[in-house]
Amino acid sequence: MESRRVTKTLADQWMVERQVREIYDYFYSIPPNSQSVILELQRDKHFDYLTRGLRKLGPSFSVLDSNRPWLCYWILHSIVLFGESIDAKLETDAIDFLTRCQDKDGGYGGGPGQMPHLATSYAAVNSLITLGSPRVLSSINREKLYTFLLRMKDTSGGFRMHDGGELDVRACYTAISVASILNIVDDELIHGVGNFILSCQTYEGGIAGEPGAEAHGGYTFCGLAAMILINEVNRLDLPRLIDWVVFRQGVEGGFQGRTNKLVDGCYSFWQGAVAFLIQRLNLVAHGQLGLSNDLSTESADDSSESELSDEEEHLEGTSSHVQETCPLGQEGQENASDTTKIEDTGYEFINRPIAMQPLFDSMYLQQYVLLCSQVDGGFRDKPGKGRDHYHTCYCLSGLSIAQYSWTDEADSPPLPRDVFGPYSRNLLEQIHPLFNVELDRYYEARKFFSCL
């Protein structure tokens, strides 16, 4: 009989499974008190690793010269997820650097004097929102940034990453995310975006970077989040999308980014957030998906009338929040109680109750992140890889997603049973899943920009 041919991909998969199995076998063979120690988030070591990276990076990081706002975001966001903050001098230095990355014609470049780019604009804006003070938020030139976003708009409806740059779903998300969180989104910006993203949903159900390409976890998050922010998520084929994403959680507990690819810690966020977002698509989920009762949560109503009533209550809550944060009579707020505006989509969405149970094994994902991705200061892709700030950011974001995936209301902490490991040590701050910024920082930014 002809022997089975083993491809490199299959051999790599077996190697990863063996490494992960050894880690899990050892973990479950030791006493419970020792298990608890191994499961702890090494907060002090992570904080030291992150703050040192914000102060100074070695020569090997020169390849990331055009990604310096991303380094700021990955580091600052990770620190805030621990509930920590940086000292005043480091904060001042970060603000000064990001301000120098802002182009005179709008948008942010990868460093001072570099051309503006949608990806680094997203990273810079999220960094400044994470720092959070009114002085910091005031440094963002929204008018010129809006002009830059319009300049990146393509006739196809999508966006280009920079002048003459690539046209893809990532550009659509970063543009819409920035416009939404800064309260500058309008019909001109969103026109045709839904058509472009819809053309990128593949036969598998996930979303590719561009039409005809392969479904990918990062692009699927970008496409789904953007469609939610422009109120066109009902146009996606959600049954196929769900079918694709649930099969991306591997035997290791973590997520893979594409079909037949290796597990990677960063997809704890990219894929985990996709599942988390779908949980809150109340009307769309019950209407398009035809959910059975075993997927519904205890708080979810079975009738469409009850679902509609819940939605209307949240719309009213959104309007009242706008009126509280902006004085009556301020320009543009007189009709705030009529309907939810496009710029309020992010707030309304996070305040929806969950419509179904998590679509992934949240405890198994936490186990993978804590046992296989965590090292002494920072997080990594998988066993055998080195730590870096990118994976630290998205492993922690995914860990937060997993911890709060059973929480029905925003601002409510998860139950101890939903957090893997020691609760007081491992519980992270909650993020807004559409923007991947810490939730309280999002609320502060929304309040600030809704009054401008």
Side-chain angles (χ1 to χ4, degrees), residues 70 73-74 266 269-270 390-398 436:
W70 278 112
Y73 168 60
W74 297 332
C266 72
F269 173 76
W270 298 120
Y390 167 83
H391 284 92
T392 299
C393 170
Y394 291 108
C395 281
L396 288 171
S397 297
N436 198 19

Side-chain angles (χ1 to χ4, degrees), residues 41 43 46-47 50 72-86 126 129-131 268-269 369 379 389-404 414 423-433 435-442:
L41 269 177
R43 289 173 173 265
H46 296 320
F47 183 74
L50 293 164
C72 290
Y73 168 60
W74 297 332
I75 293 172
L76 291 169
H77 179 62
S78 298
I79 289 172
V80 168
L81 288 183
F82 287 122
E84 301 288 348
S85 58
I86 58 177
N126 276 12
I129 286 173
T130 300
L131 289 170
S268 302
F269 173 76
V369 171
F379 288 77
H389 300 98
Y390 167 83
H391 284 92
T392 299
C393 170
Y394 291 108
C395 281
L396 288 171
S397 297
L399 195 60
S400 176
I401 285 286
Q403 291 176 348
Y404 288 86
Y423 187 84
S424 61
R425 290 286 298 177
N426 286 11
L427 181 62
L428 295 171
E429 300 297 315
Q430 188 175 7
I431 64 172
H432 193 305
F435 307 104
N436 198 19
V437 294
E438 193 267 337
L439 190 57
D440 285 339
R441 299 302 201 281
Y442 163 76

Side-chain angles (χ1 to χ4, degrees), residues 61-71 97 101 108-112 114-115 117 119-121 123:
F61 284 87
S62 61
V63 295
L64 295 176
D65 179 67
S66 62
N67 290 279
R68 283 183 280 169
W70 278 112
L71 286 162
F97 168 73
C101 291
Y108 291 80
Q114 297 185 25
M115 69 175 181
H117 193 287
T120 47
S121 293

